[in-house]
């Protein structure tokens, strides 16, 4: 059965805050309750794509999260992201360990006031594991 998978919210935390994350299966993780997530005000709807390829006989997953926000995204610490989908599940982009997600932000200052003035953000994460689902 096919279901809609649309990103409805994006949150972030510093990667160092995820030291207590435990993989309970190859596709699911348990995140400690005391992790503080910062909600990012995003313009509806962010996009999340996951692509896989074989590289030197190893299957690698590349996840790309794109969204626009009016929030300040200039902090260049290492951040992990939690995205909520329309089906109520959460996916985790990044962990405490390398490789870390790469965040690129593009500030827009257009010549017309009616054009996009939000910051366009692209988060890229490549790992041998697919993006895990966060369990309860």
């Amino acid at each position: 059965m096919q279901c809609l998978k649309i990103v409805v919210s994006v949150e972030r935390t510093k990667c160092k805050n995820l030291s207590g994350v435990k993989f309970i299966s190859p596709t699911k993780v348990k995140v400690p309750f005391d992790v503080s997530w910062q909600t990012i005000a995003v313009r509806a709807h962010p996009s999340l794509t996951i692509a896989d390829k074989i590289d030197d006989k190893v299957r690698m997953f590349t996840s790309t999260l794109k969204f626009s926000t009016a929030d300040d995204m200039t902090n260049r610490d290492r951040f992990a992201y939690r995205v909520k989908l329309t089906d109520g599940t959460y996916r985790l982009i990044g962990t405490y360990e390398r490789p870390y997600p790469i965040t690129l932000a593009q500030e827009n200052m257009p010549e017309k006031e009616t054009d996009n003035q939000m910051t366009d953000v692209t988060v890229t994460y490549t790992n041998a594991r697919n993006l895990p689902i966060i369990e309860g």
Side-chain angles (χ1 to χ4, degrees):
M1 181 174 157
Q2 187 72 6
C3 67
L4 293 177
K5 298 179 190 175
I6 297 174
V7 177
V8 293
S9 70
V10 178
E11 300 167 298
R12 72 179 183 174
T13 189
K14 291 183 180 180
C15 287
K16 66 182 180 181
N17 296 338
L18 296 176
S19 62
V21 169
K22 298 204 180 343
F23 278 86
I24 54 178
S25 80
T27 59
K28 295 182 181 178
V29 294
K30 187 83 167 165
V31 176
F33 289 107
D34 62 347
V35 173
S36 176
W37 295 95
Q38 172 194 359
T39 301
I40 300 172
V42 295
R43 181 171 59 188
H45 287 279
S47 70
L48 175 62
T49 58
I50 303 170
D52 67 320
K53 70 176 183 174
I54 305 296
D55 189 15
D56 289 334
K57 299 181 182 178
V58 176
R59 188 174 184 191
M60 297 298 290
F61 295 90
T62 300
S63 305
T64 306
L65 172 67
K66 293 182 179 183
F67 59 90
S68 296
T69 182
D71 291 354
D72 181 16
M73 299 297 290
T74 58
N75 187 337
R76 291 297 179 217
D77 285 336
R78 293 181 180 127
F79 285 98
Y81 295 82
R82 178 172 76 170
V83 295
K84 182 179 181 181
L85 305 178
T86 51
D87 64 1
T89 61
Y90 288 89
R91 302 294 287 262
L92 180 63
I93 303 173
T95 62
Y96 177 72
E97 302 170 328
R98 291 180 180 215
Y100 302 111
I102 298 169
T103 305
L104 301 173
Q106 174 182 315
E107 291 185 59
N108 296 309
M109 293 162 228
E111 58 186 49
K112 294 181 186 175
E113 49 194 54
T114 56
D115 290 344
N116 180 20
Q117 298 178 25
M118 300 183 95
T119 300
D120 295 324
V121 180
T122 302
V123 178
T124 307
Y125 181 61
T126 302
N127 199 326
R129 294 181 188 220
N130 197 354
L131 289 187
I133 295 171
I134 299 173
E135 281 291 310

